Amino acid sequence: MSKSKVAVVKTNAHTVLEDIGRLLEMAGLEKHLDPARPTILKDNISWHLPMLSANTTPWQLEGVILGLKRLGFECLAAVHNKTVVTDPFKGGRLNRLTPIYKRYDVPELYNFQATDMKWQVYKPRARMRVLHKIYPEGIKLPDYFFGKNIVHLPTVKCHIYTTMTGSMKNAFGGLLNTRRHWTHSHIHETLVDLLAIQKEIHTGIFTVTDGTICGDGPGPRTMIPVIKNLMLAGADSVAVDAVAAKIMGFDPLSLDFIRLAHEDGLGSGRLDEIEIVGDDISSLNFGFQVGDNLASRVGDLLWFSPLKAFQRLFFRTPLVHVFILASFLYHDYLWWPVEGKRRMKGIETSEWGQLFHRYPLD
């Protein structure tokens, strides 16, 4: 059995578009996706505010679009989702992604708009670990996702509930509706279930992970952006996340979602079973640590402490709006103006910050 392949390249703001094209070819994209099928671009907007390291970067998106088109993938479409605290329309504009979709005539669709797609009950063939229990009325998926390739566009960053987040977590927003917070107490098993579902409904899965500016600390929003000048890609979501975890400083198999997916045969989580091609990253260890913030401490109490017995009361009744409002106010009106903008100033003078601002807002 051949090893899963993950390609890694070191890059810079002057050559990144060409480097991404080279990355796609090294990772063998054309062997894993069907150019005759439509291809979904699933960007990652963890926050609508322009916090570099939290969201898909404009060069990541543009480089992937150019690379796909060069390899003969002409039928592209973006699919966006919203969270209870993130506005995808504002996020696309402030993170300078929307003008790129317009420039390359890539339509933008939204999984929460009935004019774009509808949700239908799906019965997975694979054994589900938790989703069938969380949604006993049926697991609902957007019908547009069936029979298409998907390219995930996450970033290398920490996450308060999964330690790190990447390809596997990127499917979370697209495939589950706004009630996906019901799964947080079983988030690792949920990600494994979703990967099993992806393998059934998509004609191909591929990931391009941006590590040009990585996120250290309590992600996916309140992070310390760190310039690392890397891009990763591969067709095995588990392997791509495992390699990203390794360079961040985490043992991949210590992360439950990677270990469980590996055990279920959904991909390779063991580094000795992964062929890493491109630049040598064997000595890299960023030493990232997740840590906590106010929102994560509250989340730990509600999702993982004895208080989780009251989750139905907190999150399946109108009380949920109290927590949504509190999170929104904390992130957008306390953390961002007090701390986030200051952290971004250190990035804006870098070559990546200058490149970011060369992309138009509209």
Side-chain angles (χ1 to χ4, degrees):
M1 182 177 177
S2 61
K3 291 184 174 182
S4 294
K5 180 184 292 186
V6 175
V8 183
V9 298
K10 296 177 181 178
T11 187
N12 61 71
H14 305 288
T15 65
V16 64
L17 298 183
E18 294 81 4
D19 290 339
I20 291 173
R22 183 165 55 91
L23 180 77
L24 300 184
E25 294 184 7
M26 281 195 299
L29 178 142
E30 70 281 3
K31 298 177 183 177
H32 299 283
L33 302 184
D34 181 357
R37 305 300 302 173
T39 298
I40 295 170
L41 299 176
K42 185 65 185 70
D43 62 27
N44 176 225
I45 300 179
S46 292
W47 201 0
H48 43 245
L49 296 176
M51 182 69 180
L52 289 173
S53 74
N55 307 305
T56 297
T57 63
W59 50 86
Q60 177 187 12
L61 176 61
E62 184 175 25
V64 168
I65 291 174
L66 289 170
L68 284 168
K69 287 182 174 290
R70 185 164 55 250
L71 292 171
F73 292 81
E74 294 295 335
C75 186
L76 308 178
V79 176
H80 305 299
N81 60 272
K82 63 179 177 180
T83 74
V84 292
V85 294
T86 300
D87 180 343
F89 301 101
K90 184 177 180 180
R93 186 177 67 85
L94 293 183
N95 285 283
R96 303 171 189 257
L97 305 178
T98 301
I100 297 173
Y101 289 121
K102 291 179 179 177
R103 182 190 313 167
Y104 294 103
D105 296 318
V106 176
E108 295 185 82
L109 307 175
Y110 300 86
N111 70 0
F112 52 89
Q113 291 187 343
T115 52
D116 291 338
M117 60 196 73
K118 294 177 173 57
W119 292 78
Q120 64 182 53
V121 173
Y122 179 70
K123 295 182 178 180
R125 298 187 298 275
R127 172 182 66 93
M128 293 288 99
R129 288 178 173 269
V130 294
L131 285 184
H132 63 300
K133 299 175 183 177
I134 296 171
Y135 302 106
E137 74 283 4
I139 301 168
K140 291 185 178 180
L141 307 177
D143 59 1
Y144 184 79
F145 278 61
F146 289 75
K148 296 179 178 66
N149 305 315
I150 190 163
V151 178
H152 291 292
L153 302 173
T155 60
V156 175
K157 60 177 178 282
C158 296
H159 195 284
I160 54 177
Y161 298 137
T162 53
T163 303
M164 59 84 66
T165 175
S167 178
M168 288 180 64
K169 184 69 166 59
N170 200 53
F172 188 62
L175 287 180
L176 294 179
N177 61 24
T178 51
R179 293 184 298 175
R180 56 188 172 270
H181 58 275
W182 292 2
T183 70
H184 280 173
S185 290
H186 305 282
I187 187 63
H188 292 273
E189 295 88 348
T190 294
L191 298 187
V192 175
D193 284 351
L194 290 176
L195 181 55
I197 288 172
Q198 286 187 83
K199 287 177 170 290
E200 293 179 4
I201 68 172
H202 292 307
T203 51
I205 305 169
F206 199 82
T207 300
V208 179
T209 302
D210 190 303
T212 57
I213 305 172
C214 303
D216 187 13
R221 292 186 284 277
T222 60
M223 295 181 295
I224 303 167
V226 185
I227 294 174
K228 292 298 184 181
N229 301 321
L230 291 176
M231 298 291 304
L232 300 82
D236 181 341
S237 296
V238 185
V240 174
D241 285 355
V243 172
K246 183 265 179 189
I247 63 177
M248 292 169 75
F250 305 114
D251 173 8
L253 292 178
S254 73
L255 308 182
D256 286 348
F257 72 94
I258 292 178
R259 177 180 57 80
L260 294 173
H262 178 87
E263 291 174 357
D264 284 0
L266 298 173
S268 297
R270 291 177 58 91
L271 293 173
D272 59 3
E273 296 179 6
I274 301 170
E275 180 188 3
I276 302 175
V277 299
D279 289 310
D280 181 15
I281 59 167
S282 58
S283 63
L284 291 185
N285 182 336
F286 298 164
F288 283 1
Q289 295 182 342
V290 180
D292 279 306
N293 60 21
L294 177 61
S296 70
R297 293 187 184 98
V298 173
D300 286 342
L301 285 173
L302 297 176
W303 299 122
F304 306 109
S305 80
L307 283 177
K308 70 180 183 180
F310 299 98
Q311 281 182 25
R312 184 171 293 274
L313 172 64
F314 292 149
F315 299 115
R316 301 198 188 196
T317 72
L319 275 176
V320 70
H321 298 292
V322 175
F323 297 101
I324 293 170
L325 178 62
S327 178
F328 171 70
L329 292 175
Y330 169 72
H331 285 103
D332 282 42
Y333 291 97
L334 178 60
W335 194 88
W336 175 252
V338 172
E339 185 62 27
K341 287 184 176 180
R342 182 186 68 81
R343 293 185 183 184
M344 282 310 305
K345 283 184 179 179
I347 297 295
E348 287 175 349
T349 56
S350 71
E351 63 173 12
W352 295 111
Q354 294 171 34
L355 177 59
F356 181 75
H357 286 289
R358 286 202 292 272
Y359 281 93
L361 271 171
D362 299 301

